[in-house]
Amino acid sequence: MRRKTRRRPTGARRATFAAVALMLGGGGLVTANVYASATEGGSGGAQEQRPYRSDGDQVPASGASTISCPDVGQQLTDVPDTARAKVDKELANLDQQVTEAYARLTSTRQEQAQDTGFVHNAILGPLKEKRTAVIDRIKMDLQQASADVPDSLSGLAACTESSAGQGQNGNGGSQQQNNGGDQATASPSAGATAGAGRQQDNGNGAAGPVAADFVDITKVAPNVQGKPDKGNNASTGTFSLNCGVNANENRNTDNLIVAPGVNNGAHHTHDYVGNQDVNAFSSNDTLAKASTTCSEQGDKSAYYWPVLRLQDGTQEKDANQLGGGKEGNVGKILRAESAQITYVGNPTSKVVAMPTFLRIITGDAKAATNGAANANAHWSCTGFEDKVQLTNQYPLCPQGSKVVRTFAFQSCWDGQNIDSANHRTHVAFADPASGACPNGFKAIPQLTQRLVYDVPTPTIANGQVKNPYAVDGFPEELHKAITDHDDFISVMDQNLMNRVVDCINNGKQCGGAGADSGKQPQDKPTASLEAGTGAGGKGGADHGTSGGKEMPQPSATTRTAESAVGGSATGQDSAAAPKADRTSSPAESSGSSNEASGDRGPTATVPPNGSNDAPGSATTSPGGTSVTGGGSSAAGSQTEPQSAGDLAETGTTLWPAAAGAALMIAGLVLLLVKRRRLV
């Protein structure tokens, strides 16, 4: 029997096999790359498939949509004291329901893509039913207290899914004003807007901020206007206090003013200075008996604000707690380098003493969904405070400049109440043009605060932001800059309040670190970050070293808060960008307090094409302009050079297709060469 042997391929056949293999491999790479480009967002490719809202509009990319609900609390202007506790707890229930609905919205993207009615049927519908039940209980509480029930309450149960920044007012309509002042939003660069849908989540589940939430402050036109002229009866003095920077980490996620008796009522973390016994269960009695971090021991007032975090991947102590990481507040908590507290006067009248336990909230923690009516955020950089103030965006500060948060509280009081049902109507802002209080209101010492932070400058490239910073907030508010706010409870003894009033009315500049009393704050154990944990113990160790009863009049360059608030945006696209001050401002280097007598401030208008003459850079690409700025930063966090927009992106995403095409061509050439040799 003849033995069968395997025939070895000839050289020509081997060359043919190699050519075919090259062509098949190259074709596979091209096909795979084309498919990938068609299913992901990017330059030249179709956008990812996303679900549609019930109104027919496509939902923005993950992390760019939120739950927007009418603010029931703002409609309650008259709640009897007998019903106040019950109503406050029901309002806290509404906040909790929205937070839970937002969590479900962000965790069900796959279900939403498969079912266009999922959001309406599984999230918004059940949420409306729950809110209806709570609102009905609020109505009952009001009726039992013989109070009028606002007709508007019945229409406040329904919520919507909205794009980030698409605010509503209490009745679901758009709002444009901010405390009656003229506002103009700083326009994000085209590159930032285009890339918002592909935003990295920075460890926060894409809850924000995104690239469009930042702006290079050197590209923003000056927008700060002067304050009202002082009249003959003006109160021109200032009284400064040093209460530290919360070096003892006294923090919790409660909200004593809005949600008394409710653990985690704020759903975000607050820094506390001054009074050291502020939590959900504090009373006026416990506040009066508490210790204080203020150098003036007669001031046991509570000063507190949401913490600022750097989203650099750091796991903070509250990463697995409510109000912290579990509700989208992630990253390293940044402590302010300085916290200046100054009381100032009124340009048209003398001031009267604040009543003890007066409560004031300035700004709106829900402004991203409520709209700008109660927003009062002011963001800037040292060296720019008297030129640019931002409300809707965080500043990218140039090298040597630091981030500044400024607050100017309501300075007019109704003369009767220490609080109101919606925590706003018992106080008011003075008229921005004249400085006069509304009829029936009295001028009180205006509390102003200036917080300075050394923040590594975030890097923005290809529409994404790396290592952003953001203020803590309700998760559904997406950490927008406009949600910044500040809280205050006045607990000064009468002697100190009288000194404050006398100093302001007589045009003196008084106070300062350790002034008059010579006493220093006491040490206090570190408070827990855990939600609902009270901040008990002795006073903190935050204090300065300088003293003296009276301070010199601040110079024009240090009175940044005074000129930063009370004006309106210029709105001029062609305005020249201010030049950066590469060193800290005089106010920062000297530590002197600022006089601030305006009530509200502007947001910025960014020219569509920022001047390249200003510090920082703007790299123009087919996809738009990506803004970068210098800034003081930690090691490894320097601003990185940018690639050329879509061209660079194309090079990084289409190389497999190019390699595949090269392989196909090589295979074809090899096949033709071998065929010619055979012929």
Side-chain angles (χ1 to χ4, degrees):
M1 186 175 214
R2 188 174 180 180
R3 184 179 178 186
K4 293 182 178 180
T5 59
R6 186 176 179 182
R7 187 176 181 182
R8 297 176 63 85
T10 65
R13 285 183 176 178
R14 284 197 297 268
T16 301
F17 292 157
V20 172
L22 286 172
M23 294 173 67
L24 289 175
L29 281 173
V30 172
T31 302
N33 187 247
V34 170
Y35 177 79
S37 298
T39 55
E40 68 180 18
S43 301
Q47 294 297 320
E48 61 179 325
Q49 294 300 312
R50 300 195 299 270
Y52 286 80
R53 298 196 298 258
S54 56
D55 60 7
D57 291 334
Q58 194 174 29
V59 173
S62 178
S65 63
T66 189
I67 299 292
S68 181
C69 301
D71 193 337
V72 176
Q74 294 306 306
Q75 302 299 312
L76 301 177
T77 58
D78 185 16
V79 178
D81 291 340
T82 55
R84 187 74 60 83
K86 292 181 180 179
V87 170
D88 284 343
K89 288 185 177 181
E90 295 296 357
L91 293 174
N93 285 337
L94 292 176
D95 286 340
Q96 180 64 31
Q97 290 171 357
V98 177
T99 295
E100 292 172 352
Y102 174 72
R104 185 156 172 74
L105 177 72
T106 58
S107 64
T108 57
R109 296 298 184 188
Q110 184 174 356
E111 290 88 341
Q112 296 170 41
Q114 296 171 351
D115 180 3
T116 58
F118 183 87
V119 173
H120 176 76
N121 297 328
I123 301 177
L124 297 181
L127 177 60
K128 180 180 179 180
E129 294 178 0
K130 293 177 182 179
R131 285 173 58 85
T132 298
V134 173
I135 291 173
D136 286 343
R137 292 198 296 269
I138 292 176
K139 291 179 180 178
M140 186 178 299
D141 292 336
L142 293 175
Q143 291 170 350
Q144 290 177 349
S146 301
D148 293 333
V149 178
D151 294 334
S152 61
L153 290 187
S154 298
L156 302 181
C159 301
T160 60
E161 182 187 12
S162 64
S163 300
Q166 182 181 321
Q168 293 185 346
N169 62 14
N171 296 317
S174 174
Q175 292 201 46
Q176 302 297 329
Q177 74 275 18
N178 174 19
N179 294 328
D182 295 331
Q183 292 290 329
T185 304
S187 304
S189 67
T193 303
R198 300 192 304 275
Q199 171 64 34
Q200 295 174 343
D201 65 18
N202 298 299
N204 65 3
V210 297
D213 291 323
F214 293 87
V215 64
D216 183 344
I217 198 167
T218 67
K219 302 297 191 295
V220 181
N223 61 9
V224 175
Q225 293 186 352
K227 55 178 183 171
D229 294 333
K230 291 181 173 62
N232 294 331
N233 199 36
S235 45
T236 60
T238 65
F239 195 101
S240 301
L241 289 159
N242 177 27
C243 298
V245 294
N246 196 24
N248 51 16
E249 299 183 357
N250 179 12
R251 304 181 178 116
N252 62 43
T253 64
D254 296 343
N255 194 332
L256 176 59
I257 297 178
V258 175
V262 178
N263 282 326
N264 191 40
H267 296 274
H268 55 266
T269 300
H270 288 124
D271 268 325
Y272 291 87
V273 300
N275 198 292
Q276 293 296 285
D277 191 16
V278 186
N279 59 71
F281 305 96
S282 299
S283 65
N284 288 346
D285 288 340
T286 61
L287 292 174
K289 296 175 182 177
S291 59
T292 180
T293 65
C294 296
S295 55
E296 287 279 2
Q297 291 291 290
D299 186 14
K300 297 184 178 182
S301 299
Y303 306 94
Y304 57 104
W305 52 83
V307 299
L308 196 67
R309 297 188 194 241
L310 177 64
Q311 295 180 2
D312 61 352
T314 300
Q315 292 291 307
E316 191 57 82
K317 290 182 289 185
D318 62 349
N320 295 313
Q321 297 177 9
L322 292 175
K326 283 189 174 180
E327 296 187 87
N329 295 304
V330 300
K332 178 183 178 181
I333 294 178
L334 301 173
R335 183 194 304 160
E337 282 193 346
S338 65
Q340 298 172 346
I341 297 174
T342 307
Y343 291 89
V344 301
N346 182 280
T348 65
S349 68
K350 303 299 183 184
V351 299
V352 300
M354 287 183 179
T356 308
F357 307 122
L358 175 68
R359 287 151 164 80
I360 308 179
I361 300 173
T362 195
D364 185 2
K366 301 176 183 177
T369 55
N370 278 350
N374 293 313
N376 196 28
H378 297 94
W379 297 89
S380 192
C381 303
T382 54
F384 290 82
E385 296 166 76
D386 59 347
K387 308 179 190 74
V388 177
Q389 292 290 325
L390 302 170
T391 292
N392 292 325
Q393 288 175 291
Y394 298 108
L396 297 175
C397 300
Q399 185 69 36
S401 181
K402 299 179 181 181
V403 173
V404 183
R405 299 163 69 184
T406 305
F407 303 97
F409 282 70
Q410 295 89 318
S411 59
C412 303
W413 170 52
D414 68 5
Q416 299 179 354
N417 302 296
I418 60 171
D419 199 3
S420 50
N422 61 5
H423 314 292
R424 296 191 184 276
T425 54
H426 65 296
V427 289
F429 288 98
D431 182 84
S434 68
C437 286
N439 290 335
F441 284 75
K442 303 177 180 180
I444 55 175
Q446 184 186 26
L447 170 61
T448 66
Q449 293 181 351
R450 177 177 179 266
L451 309 177
V452 181
Y453 296 83
D454 188 4
V455 182
T457 301
T459 301
I460 296 179
N462 298 325
Q464 293 192 0
V465 57
K466 181 180 180 182
N467 295 334
Y469 67 90
V471 67
D472 258 24
F474 289 96
E476 64 274 10
E477 298 300 315
L478 306 179
H479 300 283
K480 298 298 182 183
I482 197 173
T483 64
D484 201 12
H485 58 283
D486 204 351
D487 301 82
F488 166 67
I489 303 175
S490 179
V491 196
M492 278 192 188
D493 66 36
Q494 197 59 52
N495 287 335
L496 180 57
M497 178 57 69
N498 289 340
R499 285 170 46 209
V500 171
V501 170
D502 178 73
C503 180
I504 292 174
N505 284 340
N506 288 285
K508 301 177 183 177
Q509 282 69 52
C510 309
D516 298 332
S517 68
K519 297 180 181 179
Q520 300 295 343
Q522 301 173 4
D523 291 334
K524 172 191 174 295
T526 300
S528 171
L529 272 172
E530 207 163 322
T533 301
K538 300 295 181 182
D542 303 333
H543 56 79
T545 56
S546 61
K549 278 193 174 184
E550 295 191 3
M551 299 176 62
Q553 175 69 34
S555 66
T557 56
T558 64
R559 294 166 61 185
T560 54
E562 177 180 343
S563 58
V565 288
S568 60
T570 61
Q572 297 176 356
D573 291 344
S574 60
K579 293 185 178 180
D581 185 349
R582 297 267 173 187
T583 60
S584 299
S585 68
E588 174 61 13
S589 60
S590 67
S592 61
S593 298
N594 297 327
E595 178 183 352
S597 58
D599 280 319
R600 56 188 72 79
T603 47
T605 300
V606 181
N609 299 309
S611 170
N612 290 330
D613 295 333
S617 63
T619 304
T620 303
S621 68
T625 302
S626 296
V627 178
T628 59
S632 55
S633 61
S637 298
Q638 297 291 340
T639 302
E640 299 176 358
Q642 291 186 194
S643 56
D646 290 353
L647 183 59
E649 193 172 310
T650 300
T652 58
T653 58
L654 296 184
W655 70 264
L663 289 175
M664 291 177 64
I665 293 172
L668 181 60
V669 170
L670 180 59
L671 185 62
L672 291 174
V673 169
K674 288 301 177 184
R675 287 194 62 183
R676 287 180 180 177
R677 288 182 179 178
L678 290 175
V679 172

